[in-house]
Amino acid sequence: MVRKLKYHEQKLLKKVDFINWEADNNLHEVKVMRKYYIQKREDYTKYNKLSREIRELARKIKDLDQNDPFRTETSAQLLEKLYMMGLIPTKWDLAMCNGVNATSFCRRRLPSIMVKSKMAQKIKMAVQLIEQGHVRVGAEVVKDPAFLVTRNLEDFVTWVDSSAIKKHIKKYNDEYDDFEM
């Protein structure tokens, strides 16, 4: 048996509609979060917000006068930044900024880069390896799967020296050295 709701509880429940919840139309969001194994919904909403702001900034730059030196300079800076982050494939056209979305950010996450470089077979496995502390980017051990890897850092994603996985891979490739480990 359920107790009778108090007055303030009834007032709060009047404002909530349990049948038509506004977050029910988030099929695409759930699909992307499942594909890239994003554990925190806040990360996805952040990516969405950033991509929206990038598109808005590109639209504002596009609305400036064609011959304005400020437009040329800012568009070059924006394109350079987005290219270095790996969100756009080339830095020649401002129209590329319209293609930046939350999925572009998801593709630059550390687990996706690990799968792309064949360090892991699936994104879920890559997330587990990252959380366990087996992966480093440069000299820094990364334990956050939401770490965004830029184009410059892409080549520096490796295993931690003390990792059992690195040891196993070296044994498999007949490169294992007892002194080194």
Side-chain angles (χ1 to χ4, degrees), residues 162-180:
S162 62
S163 174
I165 295 168
K166 181 175 183 176
K167 179 180 165 185
H168 184 72
I169 291 170
K170 286 198 175 229
K171 276 186 179 179
Y172 181 79
N173 292 332
D174 291 330
E175 299 170 356
Y176 183 69
D177 185 13
D178 290 340
F179 181 74
E180 188 178 296

Side-chain angles (χ1 to χ4, degrees), residues 89-126:
T90 60
K91 52 184 172 181
W92 303 114
D93 191 13
L94 199 58
M96 299 293 274
C97 297
N98 291 331
V100 175
N101 52 22
T103 310
S104 305
F105 282 97
C106 293
R107 282 190 222 111
R108 298 308 302 177
R109 287 170 53 106
L110 183 55
S112 300
I113 299 297
M114 285 178 63
V115 170
K116 189 173 140 186
S117 64
K118 307 242 189 298
M119 288 177 73
Q121 290 178 346
K122 297 188 188 249
I123 291 182
K124 184 175 182 178
M125 190 170 91

